[in-house]
């Protein structure tokens, strides 16, 4: 069973397939995983297996540790390409997410103005006005939409609360293009979102949302559920090409 529990509140820098040299900001506790989804492919493992005992980092702690790390990286002459909000769970669940975004933008401007501020989110909190507005202020607002099929979502993403994909799509439209959609394609263990019955309605939703970009990718590390397999390069390339044909930039990571 593969599990990565990231340090908190700062981890890395790590080299990301999609983002370059990425300094991670993890707003979840350092000793476990806490997420509003419980994806069967999550590299942090299942929620039930990693219940944290520590609290989330405070706003002040995140700012202090981020500043210390950026000072250290500046002294070493290796500044990040991106400050990435990710880690052991859903960053937008932090009660001070919006204020932390503002602190991070301020520190980015001071220490590494060329770096982007990027948030990887599962979209479950975008109904909160302060989360929506904070995501409008970051450079890359990367939101998950693995499919539009409710049954697949319940089997694979496994939301912990109420989740209505049509409502999520409407809220994604409200970013008016300031959104990058990320979609995990995979197969095995009775699930497969690479077939036409999944790709076609997903593509229609993407066209409605009109994102600035789409990122399609597949499993890269061990998964907590057994029997999952990567989508093939050919499948990902084919999906990517269809998105591009629709006039939307798209990248595929294998
Ligand atoms: S949304 Fe991300 S962090 Fe949460 S369970 Fe899924 S893969 Fe893991």
């Amino acid at each position: 069973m593969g599990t990565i529990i990231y340090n908190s509140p700062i981890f890395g820098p790590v080299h990301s397939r999609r983002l370059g040299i990425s300094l991670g900001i993890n707003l979840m506790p350092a000793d476990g995983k806490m997420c509003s989804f419980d994806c069967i492919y999550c590299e942090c493992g299942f929620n039930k297996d990693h219940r944290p005992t520590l609290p989330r980092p405070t706003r002040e702690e995140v700012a202090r540790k981020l500043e210390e790390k950026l000072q250290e990286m500046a002294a070493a002459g290796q500044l990040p390409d991106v400050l990435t909000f990710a880690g052991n769970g859903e960053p937008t669940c932090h009660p001070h997410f919006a204020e932390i975004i503002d602190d991070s933008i301020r520190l980015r401007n001071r220490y590494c103005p060329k770096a982007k501020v990027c948030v990887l989110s599962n979209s479950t909190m975008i109904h909160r006005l302060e989360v929506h507005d904070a995501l409008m202020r970051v450079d890359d607002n990367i939101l998950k939409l693995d499919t539009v099929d409710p049954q697949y979502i319940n089997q694979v993403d496994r939301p912990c609360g109420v989740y209505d994909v049509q409502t999520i799509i409407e809220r994604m439209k409200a970013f008016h293009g300031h959104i990058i959609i990320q979609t995990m394609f995979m197969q095995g263990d009775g699930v497969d979102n690479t077939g036409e019955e999944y790709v076609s309605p997903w593509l229609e939703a993407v066209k409605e949302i009109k994102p600035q970009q789409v990122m399609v990718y597949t499993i890269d590390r061990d998964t907590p559920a057994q029997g999952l397999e990567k989508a093939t390069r050919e499948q990902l390339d084919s999906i990517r090409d269809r998105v591009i044909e629709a006039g939307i930039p798209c990248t595929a990571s294998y």
Side-chain angles (χ1 to χ4, degrees):
M1 181 185 292
T3 295
I4 302 172
I5 296 297
Y6 292 97
N7 207 354
S8 173
I10 307 298
F11 64 94
V14 294
H15 190 268
S16 158
R17 284 183 300 170
R18 290 177 284 160
L19 306 172
I21 296 174
S22 166
L23 183 63
I25 304 174
N26 174 20
L27 301 186
M28 295 297 120
D31 68 338
K33 179 198 166 196
M34 220 155 83
C35 192
S36 49
F37 272 1
D38 196 12
C39 301
I40 62 172
Y41 58 76
C42 181
E43 63 186 20
C44 300
F46 291 128
N47 289 345
K48 69 176 171 53
D49 295 329
H50 305 283
R51 299 259 183 242
T53 60
L54 298 171
R56 291 182 174 108
T58 63
R59 172 187 178 179
E60 292 71 26
E61 188 182 352
V62 176
R64 181 166 46 80
K65 292 280 177 62
L66 177 59
E67 183 157 24
E68 284 171 10
K69 187 68 184 179
L70 289 175
Q71 286 172 340
E72 180 191 314
M73 291 179 80
Q78 194 212 27
L79 287 166
D81 297 311
V82 56
L83 307 180
T84 306
F85 284 81
N88 313 338
E90 174 53 35
T92 62
C93 287
H94 193 292
H96 299 292
F97 173 75
E99 295 92 333
I100 291 170
I101 287 295
D102 290 339
D103 293 341
S104 304
I105 290 172
R106 177 177 52 78
L107 291 168
R108 183 277 309 273
N109 293 346
R110 180 166 177 193
Y111 290 100
C112 49
K114 290 186 185 154
K116 288 184 169 184
V117 174
C118 160
V119 177
L120 290 165
S121 165
N122 65 19
S123 319
T124 50
M125 296 295 150
I126 57 175
H127 60 281
R128 292 187 181 166
L129 187 59
E130 70 275 18
V131 170
H132 169 94
D133 289 352
L135 291 173
M136 287 298 287
R137 298 194 288 276
V138 305
D139 298 287
D140 286 349
N141 171 31
I142 305 181
L143 299 185
K144 184 188 292 291
L145 182 69
D146 282 345
T147 179
V148 298
D149 184 274
Q151 191 183 342
Y152 183 94
I153 291 166
N154 286 334
Q155 261 183 295
V156 174
D157 295 328
R158 306 197 309 164
C160 299
V162 175
Y163 180 94
D164 177 69
V165 70
Q166 289 307 325
T167 305
I168 294 289
I169 290 166
E170 289 307 311
R171 289 181 179 136
M172 286 179 161
K173 288 188 207 171
F175 287 102
H176 300 295
H178 184 73
I179 169 175
I180 297 170
I181 290 181
Q182 62 162 356
T183 302
M184 162 73 82
F185 287 98
M186 57 164 212
Q187 49 210 342
D189 196 27
V191 293
D192 181 349
N193 65 340
T194 63
E196 188 58 25
E197 68 275 28
Y198 287 91
V199 174
S200 180
W202 168 85
L203 185 55
E204 290 309 307
V206 167
K207 288 184 205 169
E208 276 183 45
I209 295 164
K210 299 187 174 68
Q212 69 194 67
Q213 188 186 342
V214 174
M215 295 171 164
V216 299
Y217 67 122
T218 191
I219 299 163
D220 188 39
R221 299 197 174 101
D222 287 346
T223 58
Q226 302 302 299
L228 302 181
E229 293 170 18
K230 280 174 171 276
T232 65
R233 182 176 281 260
E234 292 71 27
Q235 287 168 328
L236 291 169
D237 285 350
S238 162
I239 295 166
R240 177 200 60 198
D241 292 347
R242 289 172 69 176
V243 176
I244 292 171
E245 273 169 29
I248 301 167
C250 183
T251 57
S253 302
Y254 312 103

